[in-house]
Amino acid sequence: MTQLSLSRRLRRTPFSAGVEAAGVKAYTVYNHMLLPTVFRSVEEDYRHLKEAVQIWDVSCERQVELRGPDAGRLMQMLTPRDLRGMLPGQCYYVPIVDETGGMLNDPVAVKLAEDRWWISIADSDLLYWVKGIAYGYRLDVLVDEPDVSPLAIQGPRADALAARVFGDGVKDLRFFRFGHFDFQGRDLVVARSGYSKQGGFEIYVEGGDIGMPLWHALMEAGRDLDVHAGCPNLIERIESGLLSYGNDMTDDNTPHECGLGRFCNTHTAIGCVGRDALLRVAQEGPVRQIRPIAIHGAPVPPCDCYWPVLAGDQQVGHISSAAWSPDFNTNVAIGMVRMTHWTAETELDVLTPDGPRAATVQDVFWN
Ligand code: THG
């Protein structure tokens, strides 16, 4: 079996001791930090996530903190989503684009106060781009990566578990809103959000020292709920259409190609550095776009490179993520498909490492 050589560059997290004690079987590296990918098996973890509740070490969702009078102005320079209506206490899923309109990241922006934001980043070194803009425009803002490590509670029993540790008030949180909750005398930001469609919360754990105490408290409180250590699940996130930066999109894609046009208000997002470039695609629409694709036949192998998508002998796109779905009894996949072939029910072929497979463009994701 191939192994990953651990070292200081592959940063451990405040919860690594708990993750190891829970028997983590595999990791990936995300923002130069360990991210568990398997505990029992991807399929067993999937079943448990959909039926019970899991605690996820998603410390790798690092925060880029903006602090100072120009924090809001800087945040709007980064994204084509109009942030003028956003209030403290809200989280927004925001495409981040460069001057060509190319995707640099797809984080969750957390507005703590008018002059203080966290950008909860996906896997790219966004800090340098943000620091460069702040410096180049001489903005009055501090940009850094604080000691904040998200811990997620995900699954249908997440409300029950969170209430036992943070009190019933946590159940009143609306989707993509956060509140402040006490844990052992510390004030923690807790949001109703997370990288699954099973529901749950994300705790922005400020100060690594309370990481393991919180981990133990959640595990103890959830014993009778059958709480397990878990992690973002490949099958569940493809079924749900949750995109993965670096897998399903890169700086070669516009937000519109990624199906993130609904998170763009390019006309009114004044100040966004990619605005001029995006005004064109916002008007014309993209010529290729992310689509849910069912790949027929037996379970496919892991997708660690683009798999060409063909119409006859012409390439019309590629698959970037794929997995066997036990619940839908088909291989679920995320692909980028040209306009000529992106209509639902279009029959295509996918060149998998196991050979060509019939596939069908879906109308919507599976969940
Ligand atoms: N939570 C937090 N930080 C993160 C992630 C997260 N950073 C890395 C990565 N995940 C960023 N990518 C995503 C992708 C999708 C969503 C969140 C972060 C997401 N999307 C929902 C959807 O598309 O249905 C909701 C979007 C909305 O309606 O606003 O949740 O998971 N902290």
Side-chain angles (χ1 to χ4, degrees), residues 21-338:
V24 64
K25 288 208 178 87
Y27 286 111
T28 187
V29 176
Y30 192 104
N31 286 323
H32 315 277
M33 190 172 257
L34 296 174
L35 170 61
T37 54
V38 186
F39 281 86
R40 291 181 171 176
S41 70
V42 175
E43 292 202 5
E44 286 173 278
D45 294 351
Y46 162 88
R47 176 64 35 230
H48 180 268
L49 169 63
K50 287 189 164 190
E51 288 175 357
V53 59
Q54 299 182 343
I55 306 300
W56 295 1
D57 175 3
V58 282
S59 301
C60 66
E61 297 170 352
R62 303 312 294 166
Q63 308 306 303
V64 173
E65 177 166 305
L66 314 182
R67 201 152 34 95
D70 284 336
R73 180 178 166 210
L74 174 55
M75 190 68 229
Q76 186 66 81
M77 292 176 84
L78 301 173
T79 180
R81 187 162 177 181
D82 188 336
L83 303 176
R84 286 176 303 174
M86 188 176 179
L87 302 169
Q90 289 189 307
C91 308
Y92 272 12
Y93 182 41
V94 289
I96 303 285
V97 298
D98 66 16
E99 76 288 359
T100 73
M103 290 287 296
L104 292 181
N105 206 289
D106 69 327
V108 176
V110 181
K111 184 170 182 176
L112 297 160
E114 290 302 333
D115 60 355
R116 188 164 176 236
W117 299 66
W118 282 338
I119 311 175
S120 186
I121 63 172
D123 187 23
S124 77
D125 294 320
L126 193 70
L127 183 67
Y128 304 139
W129 169 256
V130 179
K131 275 181 172 287
I133 290 178
Y135 182 75
Y137 283 89
R138 296 171 156 71
L139 301 183
D140 188 0
V141 61
L142 289 168
V143 180
D144 67 3
E145 183 186 302
D147 178 13
V148 172
S149 297
L151 186 65
I153 308 173
Q154 298 285 297
R157 300 177 191 159
D159 275 65
L161 176 52
R164 290 180 189 182
V165 173
F166 297 109
D168 276 334
V170 80
K171 293 196 279 191
D172 297 333
L173 283 175
R174 291 156 62 194
F175 186 61
F176 266 51
R177 301 291 176 113
F178 70 82
H180 295 267
F181 293 86
D182 176 87
F183 178 73
Q184 296 186 353
R186 299 270 282 271
D187 180 79
L188 299 179
V189 168
V190 181
R192 190 182 288 280
S193 57
Y195 199 63
S196 87
K197 287 273 169 98
Q198 305 312 308
F201 303 90
E202 291 180 304
I203 309 155
Y204 290 81
V205 180
E206 213 170 341
D209 60 303
I210 51 159
M212 283 314 298
L214 178 60
W215 176 278
H216 288 309
L218 287 164
M219 288 297 179
E220 194 60 44
R223 203 182 288 278
D224 65 304
L225 300 174
D226 192 32
V227 66
H228 284 193
C231 51
N233 184 274
L234 179 71
I235 309 167
E236 198 274 344
R237 77 108 181 144
I238 298 173
E239 285 178 355
S240 305
L242 293 171
L243 304 182
S244 169
Y245 188 81
N247 285 321
D248 305 315
M249 57 185 149
T250 69
D251 61 1
D252 211 30
N253 301 115
T254 63
H256 305 274
E257 289 178 346
C258 304
L260 301 180
R262 66 185 189 282
F263 301 109
C264 297
N265 320 89
T266 313
H267 277 277
T268 58
I270 308 300
C272 169
V273 299
R275 184 167 173 268
D276 288 349
L278 283 178
L279 280 171
R280 276 187 289 277
V281 284
Q283 185 71 32
E284 316 245 320
V287 299
R288 57 178 181 174
Q289 200 170 50
I290 293 266
R291 281 288 180 275
I293 294 175
I295 304 177
H296 308 306
V300 290
C303 183
D304 61 0
C305 63
Y306 282 149
W307 295 346
V309 173
L310 307 180
D313 53 13
Q314 181 201 9
Q315 184 170 351
V316 298
H318 56 246
I319 299 293
S320 50
S321 296
W324 174 259
S325 164
D327 283 358
F328 295 96
N329 207 30
T330 184
N331 294 291
V332 293
I334 298 174
M336 183 70 73
V337 185
R338 277 195 220 154

